[in-house]
Amino acid sequence: MKASDLIKSTVDELRSTEAELTKELFNLKFQLHTGRLEDTSKPARIKKDIARVKTVLRAKRG
């Protein structure tokens, strides 16, 4: 996910994206702890995407 794409999004779209990513991160953590996760780098990528969304949200508010 690129920050340039996020900047073009509305605040509501960003909030829904953040919620989706948070749910996905929860599911990935669950898979990791049960031993079913094949790509162990994916949770880190999702965390970075959540951080990007939060950064753009803060910039749009201020």
Side-chain angles (χ1 to χ4, degrees), residues 45-61:
R45 283 184 279 158
I46 297 296
K47 284 181 186 180
K48 289 179 184 179
D49 287 343
I50 292 171
R52 282 187 193 98
V53 170
K54 287 184 177 185
T55 301
V56 172
L57 271 172
R58 275 190 218 106
K60 287 193 177 221
R61 287 185 199 155

Side-chain angles (χ1 to χ4, degrees), residues 4-55:
S4 60
D5 297 334
L6 294 174
I7 292 171
K8 297 175 187 175
S9 301
T10 65
V11 173
D12 291 332
E13 290 172 343
L14 290 170
R15 287 183 181 149
S16 66
T17 303
E18 181 184 4
E20 291 172 14
L21 289 171
T22 304
K23 287 178 185 178
E24 186 175 353
L25 181 61
F26 174 79
N27 290 332
L28 289 172
K29 284 182 178 181
F30 189 81
Q31 289 177 8
L32 180 66
H33 291 295
T34 58
R36 294 182 14 221
L37 185 63
E38 292 179 15
D39 184 9
T40 56
S41 66
K42 194 162 184 177
R45 283 184 279 158
I46 297 296
K47 284 181 186 180
K48 289 179 184 179
D49 287 343
I50 292 171
R52 282 187 193 98
V53 170
K54 287 184 177 185
T55 301

